[in-house]
Amino acid sequence: QVQLVESGGGSVQSGGSLRLSCAASGYTVSTNCIGWFRQPPGKEREAVATFYAGYADSVKGRFTISQDNAKNTVYLQMNSLKPDDTAMYYCAARYGFDCPLDPRAYNYWGQGTQVTVSS
């Protein structure tokens, strides 16, 4: 059974940083695809970053996705945060190395972690 558990969200001021973690079980991050997505208040879920497909234009140069295979965990380092980055952040997984930015392509989702950026 695939389980994804996000952590690391919180409230920060504009310009601050956070690092989100996504710990996976029942699934191997090194041989499959995990991406980060977010859902701002009142808006649809959108892609943030996936391996191979890259980053959403709105976060390029500020966010970095990485993984620790030994810990079976994927991270999202978020720097220079802006109020527009406020959202519930989710990690999602699918099998294989095709890592599209379309959230509909992902089968497994974590419960989400809230990120709030104040001006």
Side-chain angles (χ1 to χ4, degrees):
Q1 181 179 358
V2 177
Q3 287 191 323
L4 304 172
V5 179
E6 302 98 333
S7 61
S11 296
V12 296
Q13 291 191 329
S14 182
S17 298
L18 286 172
R19 188 177 80 154
L20 306 183
S21 299
C22 173
S25 60
Y27 177 90
T28 304
V29 302
S30 62
T31 57
N32 292 287
C33 180
I34 284 189
W36 285 99
F37 300 83
R38 67 186 182 187
Q39 187 163 14
K43 296 184 179 180
E44 293 186 353
R45 196 167 295 187
E46 61 186 24
V48 176
T50 75
F51 289 104
Y52 310 114
Y55 299 87
D57 288 343
S58 58
V59 306
K60 281 181 181 177
R62 301 188 297 121
F63 291 12
T64 304
I65 188 172
S66 64
Q67 66 185 46
D68 184 331
N69 294 337
K71 295 183 178 180
N72 211 34
T73 299
V74 176
Y75 303 97
L76 184 69
Q77 178 66 45
M78 306 187 295
N79 299 327
S80 302
L81 283 162
K82 306 174 181 179
D84 285 348
D85 295 318
T86 294
M88 183 70 79
Y89 283 71
Y90 299 90
C91 62
R94 57 182 273 128
Y95 286 104
F97 285 109
D98 180 18
C99 298
L101 291 174
D102 185 348
R104 296 171 297 178
Y106 290 76
N107 307 106
Y108 306 99
W109 292 81
Q111 82 289 349
T113 186
Q114 178 68 39
V115 171
T116 302
V117 185
S118 58
S119 57

